[in-house]
Amino acid sequence: MTAPLLQPLFIQKAKQIKLLLTDVDGVMTNGTLSFFTDAQGVTREIKNFESLDGMGLLYLAYCGLQTGIVSKGASNTLEFWAKELGMKFLFYNTSVKHHVLDFLQNKYSIRPEEIAFIGDDLIDLGLLQRVGLPLAVANSVPEAKQIALYTSPRHGGEAAVRDIAEQILRIRGQWDQVVADNASGVFRNPQNELCIVKGL
């Protein structure tokens, strides 16, 4: 497969970020929402995640980049998956997504220019406009793609996050080490204490 042509500004920003945040529906999934009602009459949500995306996020964390989710929705599944992926942050029930930036700067001293965010829809525009490295996926709305410094050729739920993670790690000169550590058996899933923030 031909390597994508990367914007110089994307390359520059990818070297500077400390944290990658991502939306869920339409980015980590194909956007389909599935529900079922359990034996107690409680309606629950099912999400289908792409395992390659999960590995890409693990590789970022393994290489020292913090990761996290910013979602308008809420689901026990998100908490489970974020912990499995060694994520640092889970923001959910987040109606105004760029509010996470004040939280991160005030509590963790992470500046907006040190943050990357992957979004796909109009609700993501405020955060995409304010971070140092705005990113999109192939199925993103045109308004998100216009802001993004890199748009994955892959759709959400089809390893778009993995593609973005790989591009970032290649730019930072860390991809070859990830490959080598997987081949040798040195690679281990990173562990983080997950910070959960509801309702920003």
Side-chain angles (χ1 to χ4, degrees):
M1 188 172 77
T2 306
L5 183 63
L6 303 177
Q7 292 186 42
L9 190 56
F10 170 56
I11 294 170
Q12 175 191 330
K13 297 289 187 178
K15 294 176 180 178
Q16 298 170 347
I17 61 168
K18 296 180 178 178
L19 168 65
L20 180 135
L21 299 171
T22 180
D23 178 41
V24 178
D25 296 321
V27 175
M28 295 180 75
T29 76
N30 67 6
T32 300
L33 300 177
S34 301
F35 301 93
F36 74 98
T37 303
D38 66 19
Q40 288 73 42
V42 178
T43 300
R44 301 188 183 277
E45 183 180 3
I46 300 171
K47 290 188 181 294
N48 293 306
F49 294 108
E50 165 60 60
S51 62
L52 287 173
D53 286 342
M55 292 307 300
L57 290 162
L58 282 169
Y59 296 154
L60 289 172
Y62 181 75
C63 291
L65 273 169
Q66 295 180 340
T67 60
I69 286 170
V70 183
S71 178
K72 184 179 179 182
S75 168
N76 291 338
T77 306
L78 291 185
E79 186 173 335
F80 168 81
W81 196 227
K83 288 178 179 176
E84 286 290 303
L85 300 181
M87 287 186 159
K88 178 65 179 175
F89 300 104
L90 171 57
F91 299 93
Y92 62 78
N93 285 338
T94 307
S95 297
V96 182
K97 293 191 176 183
H98 66 262
H99 285 175
V100 306
L101 297 177
D102 290 334
F103 175 88
L104 289 166
Q105 183 154 2
N106 294 337
K107 188 160 184 179
Y108 290 91
S109 299
I110 303 173
R111 303 189 310 272
E113 57 267 31
E114 298 172 317
I115 299 172
F117 175 62
I118 312 171
D120 71 308
D121 206 354
L122 300 181
I123 192 173
D124 301 316
L125 297 182
L127 188 49
L128 286 168
Q129 289 171 342
R130 290 167 172 82
V131 296
L133 181 53
L135 303 160
V137 296
N139 52 284
S140 296
V141 296
E143 293 85 353
K145 291 180 180 179
Q146 187 174 4
I147 298 169
L149 294 180
Y150 177 71
T151 297
S152 174
R154 301 178 182 177
H155 285 71
E158 297 178 6
V161 176
R162 166 58 172 270
D163 169 60
I164 288 169
E166 183 174 335
Q167 300 305 332
I168 290 171
L169 292 175
R170 285 185 182 279
I171 287 167
R172 295 165 73 98
Q174 295 174 294
W175 182 252
D176 287 347
Q177 191 63 55
V178 169
V179 174
D181 287 355
N182 273 275
S184 68
V186 171
F187 178 83
R188 294 291 182 271
N189 288 358
Q191 302 294 318
N192 267 311
E193 183 177 348
L194 182 64
C195 171
I196 302 173
V197 182
K198 304 176 185 179
L200 284 181

